Amino acid sequence: MDGGRMALGARIGLAGAGLFAAAAPARAQSSFASATSMSWDGVLTGIFLGLLLFSLVYNGVFYRLLRERFLIWQSARTLSYFALVLALSPLAMGPWLTPDSFARQVWICIFFDLSVVVSGPFLRRYLEPGTVGPRIRRLLGWPPMLILATTPAMLITDCPPAYMALRNMLLLAMLGLCAAAVIMALRRGSRTARYQAAAWSGIGAVYGVSLFHDIVLGRPFDAFLFLLFPALGLEVMLTALGILDRLVRLRRERQEARAQAEAMRIIAHTDPLTGLPNRRAIEESFNGDPPVAIALVDLDHFKAINDHHGHDVGDRVIFAAGVALGSGTALAARVGGEEFALLFRGPAVAVATEAERLRQRIGAYVQQMVPLLDRPVTASMGLVHIGRGTSFGAAMKSADINLYAAKESGRDRVVFIEAA
């Protein structure tokens, strides 16, 4: 196998991963040639594996809270790192996966490329919406999977140059794509891109020095592995911090969105003059928990108040009537103009008494809150009991018939029917 060509392909793969893959096959890289004679630092390896396991747990906990897909892709990257660290260690891991076995090299190549491939979808979901152009965002999706079609190039003896060139081209394209996405996001003020650029800077520095040794000096970078894994550890930690920052902001945005939606819901269900629920709100309340009775209340001769005193005084009268009706046990709502609705729940026998008490309270509240009126304000009410299965529309129609009857019979009274 052409070791120099495979070394270049593997190292380009490291960069093409957006500076976030572990290492290419040991037998395929010149820098790894010197690594075969060095002793493996078990403590450092254990710390790094523990860091990766912590990252997996961290991602899992936050995914249960916020269900963000970039946590799944980051977990896939972390698992790829974990598998690569195990493969590059001297552990035998069974008769088929000894350190110098071909199966071990296959393992390394597959998980190396997987760490490259999943980084595109991760970055696509991770960077804030609007910080990356739509074309780059699309290209960060599934097209990177084409890299897996070139994985065998790292394992084939005397690999055809065209096949290896295709692999290098795809990996370089992946490098450029990830770099372009991060740079674009940085220019658009992305906090997440700042964390990710910092996370990849360590691996980028190690990889750059290694390429300088391979291409310019013509000899391997002996400290490659010793520096690579600390750089990977730094990448994992900084990415975890970036994810935490992103999730905190996402949670805050969602809380603000929920608060805004709740405020809009309240506005949409509240009468702006009286502060009482409006027709939409009382209909939802009726359908959610049907009352035992419903009443429609209309202020008597209200047009004369507007004509003689002006609409500002009329609004004060309506407000006072709303305060009076809202002070009782019934659910009061303004359903239009000077008309109100009441929903009564509780013992049916007490409905008529409570309805009359609220109706009479309107005059007292208006007299107290709008003293400039030259005559008392009275109200007429149509009241009905609600039968089982009665719709809101039918109940309102029955109450309106009774309200009309109260108006026709002289106003300032309640007309009540036992059932609707």
Side-chain angles (χ1 to χ4, degrees):
M1 190 186 309
D2 187 346
R5 182 179 62 191
M6 294 186 64
L8 180 59
R11 290 190 182 282
I12 290 175
L14 202 63
L19 310 177
F20 41 66
R27 69 174 186 168
Q29 297 208 31
S30 55
S31 288
F32 286 141
S34 62
T36 57
S37 61
M38 75 176 185
S39 60
W40 190 269
D41 190 340
V43 174
L44 182 60
T45 303
I47 292 174
F48 187 64
L49 291 176
L51 183 63
L52 294 176
L53 288 175
F54 172 78
S55 179
L56 285 173
V57 174
Y58 176 93
N59 293 338
V61 169
F62 280 111
Y63 181 77
R64 292 189 63 183
L65 293 175
L66 295 176
R67 300 291 179 180
E68 288 293 329
R69 289 188 183 180
F70 67 77
L71 292 169
I72 297 177
W73 291 113
Q74 173 61 6
S75 296
R77 294 175 69 235
T78 303
L79 286 172
S80 298
Y81 286 175
F82 193 91
L84 280 169
V85 173
L86 288 178
L88 291 169
S89 74
L91 297 176
M93 294 186 293
W96 297 98
L97 289 172
T98 57
D100 57 350
S101 67
F102 180 74
R104 190 74 156 252
Q105 305 309 312
V106 173
W107 178 334
I108 292 173
C109 288
I110 290 175
F111 281 101
F112 168 76
D113 281 7
L114 282 175
S115 67
V116 174
V117 167
V118 300
S119 295
F122 162 72
L123 203 60
R124 179 189 185 190
R125 296 283 183 178
Y126 183 42
L127 295 174
E128 299 93 335
T131 58
V132 177
R135 180 177 298 178
I136 293 180
R137 185 172 290 275
R138 284 194 301 269
L139 291 175
L140 285 171
W142 289 108
M145 295 293 288
L146 294 172
I147 293 173
L148 292 177
T150 67
T151 301
M154 304 304 297
L155 301 167
I156 299 174
T157 303
D158 298 326
C159 177
Y163 192 21
M164 182 61 71
L166 174 63
R167 174 178 175 81
N168 292 344
M169 180 183 68
L170 289 173
L171 291 171
L172 283 172
M174 185 68 185
L175 168 62
L177 192 61
C178 290
V182 172
I183 292 171
M184 181 180 292
L186 284 171
R187 288 178 175 177
R188 296 183 178 183
S190 167
R191 285 169 55 98
T192 299
R194 296 176 194 172
Y195 278 99
Q196 205 56 41
W200 288 347
S201 61
I203 300 176
V206 174
Y207 177 72
V209 174
S210 181
L211 273 183
F212 177 79
H213 277 71
D214 280 349
I215 297 174
V216 179
L217 302 181
R219 63 174 184 269
F221 180 40
D222 293 336
F224 182 75
L225 278 181
F226 287 109
L227 295 177
L228 176 63
F229 285 100
L232 282 171
L234 179 65
E235 190 266 350
V236 171
M237 288 188 291
L238 288 179
T239 299
L241 288 175
I243 287 175
L244 178 60
D245 178 77
R246 180 88 171 91
L247 292 174
V248 167
R249 286 184 289 124
L250 278 172
R251 186 175 183 183
R252 185 186 308 121
E253 289 169 4
R254 291 181 182 181
Q255 288 174 340
E256 291 174 354
R258 282 196 294 267
Q260 185 176 10
E262 178 62 17
M264 294 300 294
R265 189 196 68 81
I266 292 174
I267 291 173
H269 289 73
T270 303
D271 172 60
L273 176 59
T274 63
L276 294 176
N278 58 19
R279 184 185 181 93
R280 178 185 300 164
I282 204 168
E283 181 174 359
E284 289 184 2
S285 178
F286 181 98
N287 294 329
D289 181 17
V292 297
I294 187 170
L296 282 178
V297 184
D298 189 81
L299 302 182
D300 296 330
H301 304 294
F302 182 75
K303 185 176 182 300
I305 296 175
N306 279 336
D307 291 342
H308 292 122
H309 299 280
H311 288 277
D312 56 335
V313 175
D315 286 346
R316 291 170 61 188
V317 171
I318 290 175
F319 178 80
V323 173
L325 294 173
S327 64
T329 58
L331 174 62
R334 184 185 178 203
V335 294
E338 68 275 17
E339 192 170 74
F340 297 84
L342 297 170
L343 297 186
F344 295 90
R345 295 183 172 91
V349 295
V351 167
T353 302
E354 174 68 4
E356 178 61 20
R357 186 178 70 84
L358 289 174
R359 191 192 67 81
Q360 292 183 5
R361 183 176 288 186
I362 291 174
Y365 272 63
V366 171
Q367 185 178 12
Q368 180 180 0
M369 299 175 68
V370 194
L372 58 86
L373 295 178
D374 54 5
R375 47 175 280 179
V377 174
T378 61
S380 300
M381 178 184 291
L383 176 67
V384 291
H385 269 151
I386 304 301
R388 186 179 299 275
T390 303
S391 68
F392 177 76
M396 288 287 285
K397 184 176 181 179
S398 297
D400 191 55
I401 291 172
N402 290 344
L403 175 60
Y404 182 78
K407 293 282 189 180
E408 287 294 306
S409 58
R411 295 183 172 86
D412 192 19
R413 67 194 64 206
V414 176
V415 171
F416 177 45
I417 295 179
E418 287 296 330

